[in-house]
Amino acid sequence: MSLLENKIGIVFGVANKRSIAWAIAQAWKKAGATLAFTYQGDRLKENVEELAGTFGPDTLILPCDVTKDDDINRVFTEVGAKFGRLDLALHSVAFAPKDALEGEFVNTSREAFRVAHDVSAYSLVAIARAAAPLMTQGGSIVAMTYYGAEKVVPHYNVMGVAKAALEASTRYLAYDLGPKRIRVNCISAGPVNTLAARGISGFSEMLKHYEAHAPLKRNVLPEELGATGTFLASDGAAAITGQVIYVDGGYQIMGM
Ligand code: NAD
Ligand code: 0WE
């Protein structure tokens, strides 16, 4: 039997075929899950419909700006109406204004700080709250994070602070939702060449740095994030909650 047979999931954060969300969605689908997808706005509608459209007629595809409570509530109302239940949710969404990732952290504006935290951290809380009533047989919520949450990665700046908030939110959500058998975990991925990473100056040097310094001497592959996402979604992880799992070739263990 497949690992996620009869599970219903929702995926936030597919922008294109390189998105980490797409890698995890494909793995969830392959493991037997039925999926709903959300996309940020009209700009990404066609992309997501083209990708997720290959998943069959029972695939729900809905717009959702995660900074809008009404969008989030509408999405979960529609998931409830179509499937009657939910088992899995993937949060793979982050944004900070570009200039906040270029200068010094000390110059982060109030507005850039607010936006980064709203999109990248608070949205997990809002999604978990809306998902929980549908997770009537328990559930698994997975969010994507990055090492810049715990150590200084030059230029990651306010995103690192927002990821720290995301990781702490994961722990508090795990505590609140544990009695309902809803687990909440983060995958901390090593650098992956996606849309969100492409614009970052020095990103290819970062990939080389990981190749040189991570114990496994290579970068992480999207399908490896898919495999960890499937594990965390599966009953094999039934006693794992509130954790940050590093899928980074071992980079995080190094002191030098
Ligand atoms: P991506 O650009 O493919 O995905 C980011 C997604 O966030 C996009 O789909 C975008 O539409 C969505 N998004 C941004 N603002 C939104 C909003 N207001 N409402 C709804 N959606 C919104 O890039 P990715 O690298 O796949 O990023 C996915 C996640 O993985 C992010 O949380 C990112 O921080 C994390 N991550 C990425 C890397 C990396 O190196 N690429 C490493 C570790 C963690
Ligand atoms: O979480 C991320 C990137 C998220 C991200 C990317 C952008 C680029 C375009 C958030 N907001 C924006 N805003 C934009 O305008 N990563 C883990 C990838 C990443 O980004 C970095 C990194 C790494 C790794 C930025 C600086 C240093 C390292």
Side-chain angles (χ1 to χ4, degrees):
M1 203 192 87
S2 286
L3 233 39
L4 304 182
E5 207 74 66
N6 299 319
K7 303 258 194 210
I8 297 157
I10 185 163
V11 173
F12 291 83
V14 177
N16 58 36
K17 67 176 198 300
R18 292 187 172 217
S19 294
I20 291 170
W22 180 238
I24 294 176
Q26 286 179 94
W28 281 5
K29 174 73 181 174
K30 211 170 161 195
T34 298
L35 297 180
F37 289 85
T38 71
Y39 56 89
Q40 184 182 358
D42 288 340
R43 200 169 43 85
L44 296 174
K45 183 172 198 243
E46 251 186 69
N47 279 3
V48 177
E49 282 179 346
E50 196 181 320
L51 290 168
T54 64
F55 279 18
D58 53 354
T59 310
L60 199 55
I61 307 175
L62 302 165
C64 183
D65 179 334
V66 299
T67 64
K68 305 228 157 78
D69 288 333
D70 291 350
D71 280 22
I72 292 175
N73 291 331
R74 184 181 32 74
V75 160
F76 285 95
T77 300
E78 291 199 33
V79 167
K82 184 164 171 101
F83 299 114
R85 199 188 80 234
L86 188 67
D87 305 292
L88 317 173
L90 175 67
H91 179 285
S92 187
V93 170
F95 180 78
K98 180 113 185 128
D99 52 348
L101 301 176
E102 284 172 347
E104 293 181 28
F105 175 70
V106 69
N107 291 324
T108 306
S109 68
R110 191 181 297 276
E111 180 62 6
F113 191 101
R114 187 194 65 73
V115 168
H117 283 72
D118 191 9
V119 176
S120 315
Y122 180 75
S123 60
L124 178 67
V125 183
I127 286 168
R129 185 169 59 249
L134 290 174
M135 292 184 160
T136 50
Q137 304 177 6
S140 174
I141 300 172
V142 177
M144 297 307 305
T145 188
Y146 175 63
Y147 186 58
E150 60 173 281
K151 297 287 181 188
V152 172
V153 174
H155 305 301
Y156 198 58
N157 294 2
V158 73
M159 269 310 306
V161 181
K163 289 299 191 189
L166 179 78
E167 292 181 10
S169 298
T170 295
R171 292 185 282 272
Y172 281 91
L173 290 169
Y175 174 72
D176 282 355
L177 302 179
K180 298 181 164 55
R181 279 200 302 135
I182 299 170
R183 301 179 292 102
V184 190
N185 292 289
C186 285
I187 296 174
S188 186
V192 181
N193 197 359
T194 63
L195 189 63
R198 208 93 52 80
I200 308 303
S201 70
F203 190 75
S204 45
E205 285 67 41
M206 182 172 305
L207 291 172
K208 283 187 207 127
H209 181 83
Y210 270 70
E211 258 179 49
H213 296 282
L216 295 178
K217 299 288 177 252
R218 64 176 181 85
N219 283 289
V220 62
L221 300 169
E223 53 267 35
E224 295 170 329
L225 300 173
T228 303
T230 302
F231 167 66
L232 285 174
S234 76
D235 294 340
I240 300 178
T241 195
Q243 299 300 313
V244 177
I245 312 274
Y246 290 85
V247 182
D248 64 349
Y251 185 85
Q252 185 265 351
I253 69 169
M254 300 305 295
M256 202 185 144

